[in-house]
Amino acid sequence: MAQYVAAIDQGTTSTRCMIFDHSGNVVSADQREHEQIFPRAGWVEHDPQEIWRNTREVCAGALAKADLVTDDVIAVGITNQRETAVVWDRTTGEPVYNAIVWQDTRTDKIVDELARQGGGQNRYHATTGLPLATYFSGPKVKWILDNVEGAREKAEAGDLVFGNMDTWVLWNATGGTDGGVHVTDPTNASRTLLMDLDTLTWNEQNAADMGIPMSMLPEIRSSSEVYGHVRARGAFAGLPLAGILGDQQAATFGQACLEVGEAKNTYGTGNFVLLNTGTEKVMSENGLLTTVCYKIGDNETIYALEGSIAVTGSLVQWMRDNLGIISSAPEIEQLADSVDDNGGVYFVPAFSGLFAPYWRSDARGAIVGLTRYVNKGHLAHAVLQATAFQSLEVIEAMNADSGVPLKSLKVDGGMVGNELLMQFQADILGVPVIRPVVAETTALGAAYAAGLAVGFWETEEDIRTNWAQDKQWDPQMDQDERDKQYRRWKKAVTKTFDWVDEETD
């Protein structure tokens, strides 16, 4: 009898496959990074074919590392970087252009034009729960159709299809040009500016506004059901592909934030705070996104409020790759710990503008408060604190929208091993920060969705039973110091506004 569930985690910087047992423990994992393509300032792309090759390799690698065979696994789930858009030819299987990544800002003029046509930034807010922003998939598809020669004609002829990365992986894994399933789930569909939050169906008017033929759009199915089976070639042949959750919703599910008012913060390339609002769709008045949290089979749709932060872990990568101040990401903690504080320096990493709660695409990064006293340790301190300050801003907005102050914060993702950051996060929030035993909950959430669909786990209560605390950080900073630091941070943020204009574009 199969004892395990596998999850494909297609992330912003890498793709991995993880295999879990019934207790939610990691049995094995394999991971491959893919190239980050920067054709010009503000543009970020991935090669979809490279990602599909890496997906095949990591699935085989995860089996090999645990000395397992396909029959040991009962089902496969998918989780993915959301908003990253791929358009490909349904006949040849070839992408017509690289995947345009969620961080990419090239669609700013498209977004501005849509806003000018009526409704401003809130044009689609009532329908989709989202502001008009470069972040989301719909405008990226429009850009491809407008700028790739012959793409619009082929799309209107029904030859092109679109998907976020979940759909690209699923289509290829189920056969591609030979019967591939063209499906997405509501957590991904709700990140396109094209899906109606109430009906979980595509909004024809929104698609028409962006010149996107309805024939391009994948079928929207629940987050936990059997969509198809893995093609005969390669690892996991014949297994049901049975779960899809966008990465942040997957982490929320994996963290067992299954009740109204439970929240988590994932520390990855960016940071994403999600608050479960249950079956109630809470429309934000404070710059947050209203999104689908998950929909398990025929159960009612569960919604969430989300605060999206563009640059957190990627700022540490920038310190490593662009400046060479550290040679590996974990060194940032040691360097920051070489000094007592930030030396008065604040780093606002608005590399792609500012996401929640500001939604300022005209912002660009700034380091403020520099004096001759400052050294690289202070800068490292400011880099880590930027993640915590940005998270605080989002959680303040969440408290205002929900009317329920956060009592504690569950955390996960690659940065939660950084003790200095976790302690500062607790200090600046003024509430306990709690790390689970399995910190990589994104893949775990996708595994849970797939396992529930095939009966490997019977109910969502099994997920809650599996969750276990690893460590808790309690706040140690007094209120006056917290207020002073936060006031200075907010002042630093204002220095990033209005940078992009016609002269600097």
Side-chain angles (χ1 to χ4, degrees):
M1 183 176 176
Q3 303 175 64
Y4 309 109
V5 176
I8 296 166
D9 182 355
Q10 202 301 289
T12 305
T13 58
S14 69
T15 304
R16 64 183 170 175
C17 178
M18 301 187 78
I19 298 176
F20 298 90
D21 65 16
H22 195 269
S23 297
N25 297 315
V26 179
V27 175
S28 72
D30 196 41
Q31 187 167 355
R32 299 278 188 282
E33 288 193 4
H34 53 262
E35 182 183 3
Q36 305 297 308
I37 303 166
F38 305 104
R40 62 169 75 174
W43 291 29
V44 191
E45 298 175 2
H46 294 156
D47 177 354
Q49 297 286 35
E50 179 190 11
I51 286 174
W52 172 232
R53 286 194 302 273
N54 288 354
T55 301
R56 301 198 302 272
E57 290 179 10
V58 297
C59 289
L63 282 174
K65 284 184 175 180
D67 198 22
L68 299 176
V69 295
T70 293
D71 286 348
D72 292 320
V73 180
I74 194 169
V76 182
I78 297 171
T79 182
N80 59 292
Q81 51 168 326
R82 306 163 305 167
E83 300 95 15
T84 295
V86 191
V87 173
W88 69 95
D89 189 305
R90 70 167 80 239
T91 304
T92 67
E94 293 291 323
V96 301
Y97 191 80
N98 278 337
I100 300 180
V101 180
W102 56 273
Q103 302 151 310
D104 191 286
T105 58
R106 77 184 67 189
T107 57
D108 53 354
K109 290 183 174 60
I110 292 172
V111 165
D112 290 345
E113 177 59 28
L114 286 168
R116 280 196 298 271
Q117 289 171 5
Q121 192 180 46
N122 289 323
R123 176 171 181 166
Y124 302 118
H125 187 257
T127 318
T128 69
L130 310 175
L132 254 175
T134 59
Y135 184 22
F136 306 109
S137 308
K140 295 177 171 65
V141 178
K142 174 174 169 55
W143 187 94
I144 290 173
L145 298 183
D146 289 346
N147 289 277
V148 175
E149 186 175 355
R152 182 163 295 284
E153 292 78 5
K154 292 184 75 173
E156 290 173 353
D159 295 332
L160 299 186
V161 290
F162 148 74
N164 287 346
M165 297 307 296
D166 63 308
T167 302
W168 169 250
V169 170
L170 178 70
W171 186 81
N172 280 288
T174 52
T177 56
D178 185 17
V181 176
H182 188 223
V183 160
T184 190
D185 90 304
T187 67
N188 275 285
S190 67
R191 317 299 293 195
T192 60
L193 284 170
L194 301 172
M195 191 194 83
D196 187 300
L197 269 183
D198 291 314
T199 62
L200 306 190
T201 58
W202 299 117
N203 185 292
E204 292 191 28
Q205 184 59 57
N206 293 14
D209 290 348
M210 298 182 210
I212 300 171
M214 295 294 288
S215 61
M216 294 184 70
L217 304 179
E219 180 186 359
I220 303 172
R221 306 258 291 270
S222 82
S223 307
S224 178
E225 62 178 272
V226 176
Y227 314 108
H229 291 79
V230 179
R231 63 188 193 143
R233 302 172 68 90
F236 301 142
L239 291 184
L241 280 154
I244 300 173
L245 285 164
D247 53 7
Q248 303 314 317
Q249 287 93 338
T252 308
F253 204 60
Q255 279 274 40
C257 293
L258 307 174
E259 298 293 332
V260 175
E262 293 186 320
K264 68 87 203 176
N265 192 7
T266 296
Y267 296 72
T269 303
N271 265 38
F272 300 87
V273 187
L274 267 75
L275 173 73
N276 184 324
T277 62
T279 56
E280 181 184 1
K281 184 185 68 171
V282 177
M283 304 303 284
S284 176
E285 298 179 359
N286 294 280
L288 302 180
L289 311 179
T290 304
T291 193
V292 175
C293 194
Y294 53 87
K295 178 173 171 54
I296 303 303
D298 295 329
N299 295 349
E300 287 188 274
T301 305
I302 302 299
Y303 294 95
L305 280 171
E306 175 176 333
S308 309
I309 304 165
V311 178
T312 55
S314 56
L315 180 56
V316 177
Q317 290 178 321
W318 182 82
M319 290 277 284
R320 180 193 68 190
D321 299 338
N322 291 45
L323 298 190
I325 289 177
I326 53 175
S327 58
S328 67
E331 288 179 24
I332 193 80
E333 182 174 13
Q334 182 180 354
L335 182 57
D337 210 22
S338 66
V339 294
D340 293 332
D341 53 33
N342 63 12
V345 172
Y346 293 82
F347 194 152
V348 186
F351 293 162
S352 302
L354 289 167
F355 284 7
Y358 299 101
W359 299 106
R360 297 288 298 251
S361 61
D362 62 338
R364 286 299 179 267
I367 304 172
V368 302
L370 290 172
T371 63
R372 283 289 300 272
Y373 168 72
V374 170
N375 62 36
K376 60 185 179 181
H378 298 116
L379 189 59
H381 225 95
V383 163
L384 295 180
Q385 289 185 348
T387 292
F389 281 125
Q390 290 179 100
S391 297
L392 170 58
E393 289 186 302
V394 163
I395 287 165
E396 278 203 336
M398 227 162 240
N399 290 342
D401 277 331
S402 68
V404 181
L406 192 73
K407 294 181 179 178
S408 65
L409 183 68
K410 291 181 176 179
V411 298
D412 55 71
M415 296 180 78
V416 299
N418 190 310
E419 304 262 341
L420 190 67
L421 170 59
M422 292 297 99
Q423 183 58 58
F424 186 76
Q425 186 71 86
D427 287 343
I428 206 68
L429 283 177
V431 300
V433 167
I434 303 168
R435 181 176 69 195
V437 170
V438 179
E440 298 298 347
T441 55
T442 304
L444 180 58
Y448 281 147
L452 283 167
V454 298
F456 187 70
W457 290 286
E458 291 186 9
T459 68
E460 293 171 31
E461 190 57 37
D462 293 338
I463 298 171
R464 188 177 297 283
T465 301
N466 279 351
W467 189 91
Q469 178 175 316
D470 174 47
K471 185 165 183 177
Q472 176 171 317
W473 290 267
D474 294 314
Q476 299 173 358
M477 185 182 290
D478 66 53
Q479 188 64 47
D480 288 344
E481 179 65 18
R482 187 179 299 132
D483 292 344
K484 182 182 76 173
Q485 294 245 22
Y486 191 37
R487 184 177 66 253
R488 289 177 175 175
W489 164 260
K490 298 285 273 188
K491 186 177 181 181
V493 170
T494 65
K495 306 302 181 186
T496 71
F497 296 163
D498 299 314
W499 182 259
V500 175
D501 54 30
E502 291 184 3
E503 291 182 4
T504 59
D505 190 3

